[in-house]
Amino acid sequence: MSEGRVVVGRIDSPETFKDKAYTALRNVIVASDVYRSRTDIRLDERQLAQDFGISRTPVREAMAQLEREGFVRSVPRRGIYVVRKTREEVIQMITAWAALECMAARLITEHASDADIAGLRRMFATFEDDKLHAKLDEYSEVNIAFHQTIIELSGNNVLIQLAENLFTHMRMIRGKTIGEDDRVVRSIHDHMNIIQALEARDTERAEDLVRQHALGLAAHVAKHVDYLD
């Protein structure tokens, strides 16, 4: 089995090494692009502690938390690996995300300021008449930021916390699938329609558009993402 290794930076802040190690390791996992390759990504606890410039104890504690959250798995006598979800697991995550994002859209229409909603439109300033003025990876980041902001603008801290770990998984799979099957153009159309519904405070339409957009990703995964089987 082939394995990959990611390059990481040092952790310089002395405060709450466990929390710092946890955040740094989550960033490592997102950067590993586990869905772009069939290569298993192994995380070397000793090497990571050395790269971060801290002891192994906070790294080990952070690894244990990440394993409980489903981001890594420990394989006896082999090490710790980044988890690549199965196709069915990914579809279930997207379905759960759809429910959270629909409620967020409802709350935005009821409580968010016009200025906050306008900020969603400004995210797409590099796109005009369906022409992509940014590179695909740049659009991927805008796409991810859009969905994260929808959740944040709900103003519901419990909803935001529920979405946090799920979002990390969603970020990785969205980053991989956005370039497949001409999804970029459809994504832009969907996002602009969602923004228009939010601006109009059309709660039912905003919820419906967000739901259709998320379930469209689920349908794409079900039909095309055979590399997760």
Side-chain angles (χ1 to χ4, degrees):
M1 175 174 54
S2 59
E3 297 178 355
R5 180 179 180 275
V6 293
V7 178
V8 301
R10 290 176 61 86
I11 295 176
D12 296 320
S13 173
E15 60 184 67
T16 58
F17 279 138
K18 177 189 173 183
D19 292 339
K20 293 288 185 179
Y22 173 82
T23 299
L25 283 169
R26 286 250 309 225
N27 291 337
V28 167
I29 290 167
V30 171
S32 70
D33 282 341
V34 69
Y35 292 108
R36 293 183 185 272
S37 170
R38 294 181 182 271
T39 301
D40 288 328
I41 306 296
R42 182 175 179 273
L43 300 177
D44 186 321
E45 184 181 286
R46 184 189 302 274
Q47 185 63 53
L48 285 165
Q50 181 178 325
D51 291 342
F52 292 153
I54 60 177
S55 71
R56 293 180 65 180
T57 298
V59 174
R60 186 179 301 115
E61 292 173 344
M63 286 284 198
Q65 182 175 346
L66 288 163
E67 184 164 19
R68 290 192 296 270
E69 294 172 351
F71 292 107
V72 301
R73 72 182 188 280
S74 178
V75 181
R77 297 181 296 279
R78 286 175 54 194
I80 299 173
Y81 292 82
V82 177
V83 168
R84 181 186 292 106
K85 298 292 187 181
T86 66
R87 176 157 53 176
E88 182 56 35
E89 287 172 332
V90 168
I91 291 170
Q92 290 180 10
M93 286 192 298
I94 296 169
T95 303
W97 180 267
L100 292 175
E101 200 169 22
C102 280
M103 179 52 68
R106 169 172 287 274
L107 293 172
I108 290 171
T109 64
E110 294 173 349
H111 304 297
S113 69
D114 290 343
D116 284 340
I117 296 174
L120 291 170
R121 186 174 290 278
R122 286 194 297 273
M123 289 184 178
F124 297 90
T126 55
F127 309 100
E128 180 180 338
D129 299 328
D130 301 332
K131 303 297 183 182
L132 196 59
H133 288 216
K135 295 179 181 178
L136 180 60
D137 57 349
E138 293 173 343
Y139 178 74
S140 178
E141 288 302 311
V142 172
N143 176 48
I144 289 164
F146 175 82
H147 290 284
Q148 189 169 29
T149 304
I150 290 287
I151 294 295
E152 291 172 351
L153 290 183
S154 72
N156 185 305
N157 290 330
V158 175
L159 190 155
I160 292 168
Q161 290 171 7
L162 286 171
E164 183 178 357
N165 287 343
L166 184 58
F167 182 77
T168 302
H169 291 291
M170 291 292 296
R171 177 182 184 124
M172 291 189 287
I173 194 63
R174 281 189 185 278
K176 173 65 175 72
T177 59
I178 193 62
E180 300 172 348
D181 195 32
D182 197 31
R183 285 186 52 77
V184 170
V185 172
R186 281 179 287 172
S187 176
I188 295 171
H189 282 161
D190 287 355
H191 288 172
M192 297 312 296
N193 287 334
I194 290 168
I195 291 169
Q196 289 170 5
L198 294 174
E199 289 172 334
R201 308 285 176 168
D202 189 336
T203 302
E204 299 302 325
R205 177 166 170 75
E207 281 189 310
D208 186 54
L209 289 171
V210 165
R211 183 184 302 106
Q212 290 181 28
H213 181 65
L215 296 183
L217 175 59
H220 171 81
V221 170
K223 183 176 181 180
H224 298 289
V225 184
D226 55 358
Y227 48 79
L228 293 181
D229 293 333

